[in-house]
Amino acid sequence: MARRSGSKTPKKPITWKALKRIARMYVYIRPFQGEFLLGMLFLLLSSSSNLAFPAFLGDLVDAAQNDPSQINPIAGTLAALLLAQAVFSFGRIVFFERVAQRALAALRQAMYSHLIDLPLPFFHNRRVGELTSRLQSDIGVLQETFTSTLAEFIRQIVVIVGGIALLTYTSWKLTLFMLAILPVVVVLAVVFGSRIRKYSKQVQDASADSNTVVEESLSAIATVTAYTSENRERARYETANQNVAKLAITGGILRGGFASFLILGLFGALVAVVWKGTSLIATGELDAGQLFSFVIYSGFIGGSIGGMADVYARLQKAVGATEALLDMLDEAIEENSAHVADEPEGRPIPDGASAVRFENVDFAYPTRPDVPVLSNFSLDIPSGAQVALVGPSGAGKSTVVQLLLRFHAAQQGQLFLHGEVAESWKKWTWRKKTAWVPQEVILFGHSIRENIAYGRPESSEEEILEAARQANALEFIQRFPDGMDTQIGERGVQLSGGQRQRIAIARAVLRNPDILLLDEATSSLDAESEALVQDALQRLMSGRTSLVIAHRLSTVRNADKIAFLQDGAVQEWGSHEELMALPHGKYRQFVAQQLQ
């Protein structure tokens, strides 16, 4: 049965090792540590003033009985204390929010900058949804921690420790009595509440499962009807629905028991403390005002102890979120990535050197190391030549392009770029010399102008228009009411396949690359669109080194050289005429299949 997708922040135990690792996050707070310390000061002052309330309220009760002239001064002190607490709370919230938002903005930027510099294999092992969830949910957990959870944790510690100290000072006998009763009740309430939350979570999951049945069956209603599976789907939903009801009833019993326990336990404990306090008042060991303060302090302490479980769980989630973020930050970025590249683009190229040369290359993808893709692969692409790669699916054609772009590195053999080993080129510098037009064109959800200019953002309007003209794209662009400012939607959904291809070609034209890589650029187009795209590609390839992957004969027959790949190696090499002259050649069979 399908489950909801999503990435939940895990809880991690709060250990000394985990805390030491989390301390690395301080680098994002350090620029704002002055405001952070001010926020901590306001937090301590707010918590301390909160603890002073019960004492003054008790004094007010005693003043009513013993010295009425002190009622107004004590009431004035309480009013001043209330005002001070309001100011302290405001300061604490404002300073913590300022620090948290600016520190987390810096963390988000650091995370994104790091992610975008990671090597391509990293993204093959991770879903984009998981990575974006890390940026959203985990940093959201840290935001809650910095702005409220941490403050609440410290406040509760201050209330518990300070409250017990003040209770002991008021009456150590009553304090011992209270500590023998109240914490036990609170701990039992926390355990009870945890069990209820567990059942609530199970009810939510079961409800989601029943909704999944509805969503799956209704979205595929034609298939359900065609295969007469209505009764089967009804039975599936009934099972899921009954499970929801069963879990919800059990949860209701637990909630009813919890409510009864709270009434009996907490109020019973309060009655017991008041009973013991009145006994001490009767013996002269305690004043009525002190008992009043004592009861309020007991409520403060009980509430803080009860809330500690939830705060601790949130802190565990913060530890889990921090470790998940640090794990990603610890991933090694691609060497020579853009922000560390300092090699000039005008690097001299040796005379007479091949543009690209593969020499006895063996390669398997890191995710499938036991499945070789290229085996003893060799290929020499002269400068300025148009070379076509053809062959059956799985022969390794697209892998050649990925190796040439240095998305991956070969396990054996060597790749030479302009006569020098690939490793001598910074990846960023090399990629600046290439343009890639993939089979599945990826466009951004912006304007047509921004998508074309992605090849060279500093280009002028005239250069962008000329690139669109050379790509046979200007004509359809000008038919749009907004022209170059037309918004094309996510991944270019508002354009046809041929239009998307021509936008991608215009992007490549604008980049003016030394080496052009075309990966099945016309495979999914109709005849009219293919003719327009082919015309644009011929202009783009003219005078520059081009590597073309294609199945269609019309795409490859005009290439200077054709490499026929099979089983991860070049089986045949030559021009169209040379390969067609081989009586039993694999390329000749390929062409025959195309003609048929």
Side-chain angles (χ1 to χ4, degrees), residues 181-498:
I181 300 174
L182 190 60
V184 175
V185 175
V186 171
V187 169
L188 289 174
V190 169
V191 173
F192 220 142
S194 176
R195 187 78 182 274
I196 290 174
R197 283 194 297 272
K198 177 183 175 182
Y199 261 91
S200 297
K201 174 69 168 55
Q202 290 178 348
V203 171
Q204 290 174 353
D205 289 343
S207 180
D209 288 339
S210 68
N211 290 336
T212 299
V213 174
V214 175
E215 181 182 346
E216 286 180 344
S217 58
L218 295 184
S219 62
I221 189 63
T223 303
V224 172
T225 304
Y227 283 87
T228 60
S229 296
E230 294 90 344
N231 289 335
R232 185 191 311 168
E233 296 302 325
R234 260 191 287 271
R236 282 181 64 203
Y237 186 69
E238 183 179 9
T239 300
N241 207 22
Q242 290 298 324
N243 189 38
V244 174
K246 180 181 177 182
L247 289 170
I249 291 170
T250 304
I253 294 171
L254 285 174
R255 285 195 300 276
F258 184 56
S260 300
F261 170 79
L262 284 178
I263 294 171
L264 182 64
L266 292 180
F267 284 99
L270 181 62
V271 169
V273 168
V274 172
W275 165 76
K276 182 63 175 177
T278 53
S279 299
L280 294 175
I281 290 174
T283 60
E285 298 178 67
L286 198 67
D287 294 331
Q290 289 177 315
L291 178 59
F292 185 76
S293 300
F294 197 98
V295 170
I296 297 177
Y297 276 130
S298 298
F300 278 14
I301 293 170
S304 294
I305 294 174
M308 282 295 284
D310 181 57
V311 172
Y312 188 77
R314 281 187 277 161
L315 288 175
Q316 285 182 307
K317 286 185 69 175
V319 171
T322 304
E323 292 199 341
L325 293 172
L326 288 173
D327 285 342
M328 279 202 287
L329 285 172
D330 287 340
E331 291 281 348
I333 64 171
E334 186 176 58
E335 71 275 15
N336 303 328
S337 59
H339 75 276
V340 299
D342 54 6
E343 187 173 20
E345 293 184 38
R347 172 175 175 166
I349 298 172
D351 293 333
S354 298
V356 176
R357 189 170 89 250
F358 291 88
E359 194 172 277
N360 303 320
V361 166
D362 291 346
F363 177 76
Y365 285 99
T367 53
R368 305 188 303 273
D370 55 336
V371 181
V373 180
L374 298 179
S375 180
N376 198 29
F377 175 83
S378 296
L379 179 67
D380 193 330
I381 303 177
S383 293
Q386 296 178 22
V387 175
L389 297 183
V390 298
S393 297
K397 302 185 296 297
S398 295
T399 299
V400 172
V401 173
Q402 296 208 30
L403 289 178
L404 204 154
L405 285 167
R406 299 184 66 195
F407 290 159
H408 302 277
Q411 283 86 31
Q412 295 290 333
Q414 195 64 262
L415 169 63
F416 294 90
L417 306 173
H418 289 310
E420 300 178 14
V421 293
E423 288 74 19
S424 69
W425 287 81
K426 292 184 183 296
K427 291 182 178 180
W428 188 74
T429 306
W430 172 250
R431 290 169 187 159
K432 289 283 283 184
K433 294 179 175 296
T434 66
W436 177 39
V437 182
Q439 177 180 2
E440 183 184 352
V441 173
I442 302 298
L443 298 180
F444 298 91
H446 306 307
S447 68
I448 291 177
R449 175 186 289 102
E450 289 171 293
N451 274 280
I452 295 176
Y454 203 80
R456 190 155 54 90
E458 67 276 11
S459 302
S460 67
E461 183 72 10
E462 291 74 18
E463 290 173 321
I464 294 172
L465 289 170
E466 177 60 20
R469 186 191 65 77
Q470 291 188 37
N472 285 337
L474 191 58
E475 184 267 336
F476 81 78
I477 292 172
Q478 290 177 335
R479 288 204 306 265
F480 291 126
D482 295 326
M484 282 286 184
D485 294 319
T486 301
Q487 299 294 314
I488 62 175
E490 186 178 0
R491 300 175 72 89
V493 294
Q494 297 184 32
L495 301 178
S496 69

